[in-house]
Amino acid sequence: ISSEGLFYWRVASIDSKGKTGGFSPFRRFRVTGLGSSLESLQSDKTPPALLVKKPFRIGGQFYLIEGKAEPGASVFINDEELLDVGSDGTFKKLISLPQVGWNTVVVKAADLAGNQSVQREKVYAEE
């Protein structure tokens, strides 16, 4: 069992007669081996590393966005958080661009201290 990674949990109630209720929606949390204390997080002013490969066109308005962020950082593509970032910071997501023509894809990494790195890529979507 790995001590790092993305984990999910949910809860359900059990009444005094043993009858179970429905489960709550899934929630997630990330465990990193950074060993950061609150003091070190408050003094951290360095944006997380972020490297985004050139978007790969699958066809039409579909592109594969992939790259690597600082381990433990949260990654967002066009303000949507990715849930499957690897413990080493690698990520990959198939996206559909909102309009035909030029679009800007915004990839953001945010570390535990709240620092952010942003990379923008212009891509052209065909019909």
Side-chain angles (χ1 to χ4, degrees):
I1 293 179
S2 172
S3 60
E4 294 185 19
L6 193 59
F7 297 88
Y8 298 87
W9 62 275
R10 62 185 182 154
V11 296
S13 63
I14 301 175
D15 68 16
S16 62
K17 296 179 181 172
K19 184 178 178 188
T20 59
F23 277 97
S24 68
F26 283 97
R27 301 292 301 204
R28 71 181 183 95
F29 64 96
R30 179 177 288 128
V31 175
T32 65
L34 301 175
S36 300
S37 69
L38 181 58
E39 292 172 1
S40 67
L41 286 177
Q42 290 173 336
S43 65
D44 178 8
K45 304 294 182 203
T46 305
L50 175 63
L51 175 64
V52 180
K53 294 180 181 180
K54 181 179 177 183
F56 180 77
R57 185 170 159 251
I58 303 296
Q61 293 178 246
F62 295 96
Y63 277 82
L64 181 64
I65 308 297
E66 62 182 318
K68 186 171 185 177
E70 178 179 295
S74 296
V75 177
F76 301 81
I77 296 179
N78 292 339
D79 292 325
E80 181 183 337
E81 185 173 9
L82 303 185
L83 301 179
D84 56 352
V85 177
S87 61
D88 63 350
T90 56
F91 60 90
K92 185 184 297 187
K93 173 118 176 122
L94 180 65
I95 66 167
S96 175
L97 298 173
Q99 63 188 24
V100 174
W102 286 104
N103 292 263
T104 301
V105 176
V106 180
V107 181
K108 177 173 66 173
D111 66 16
L112 296 173
N115 302 306
Q116 297 181 357
S117 294
V118 178
Q119 188 170 337
R120 291 174 174 78
E121 296 286 337
K122 285 196 154 217
V123 292
Y124 188 81
E126 297 179 1
E127 287 190 52

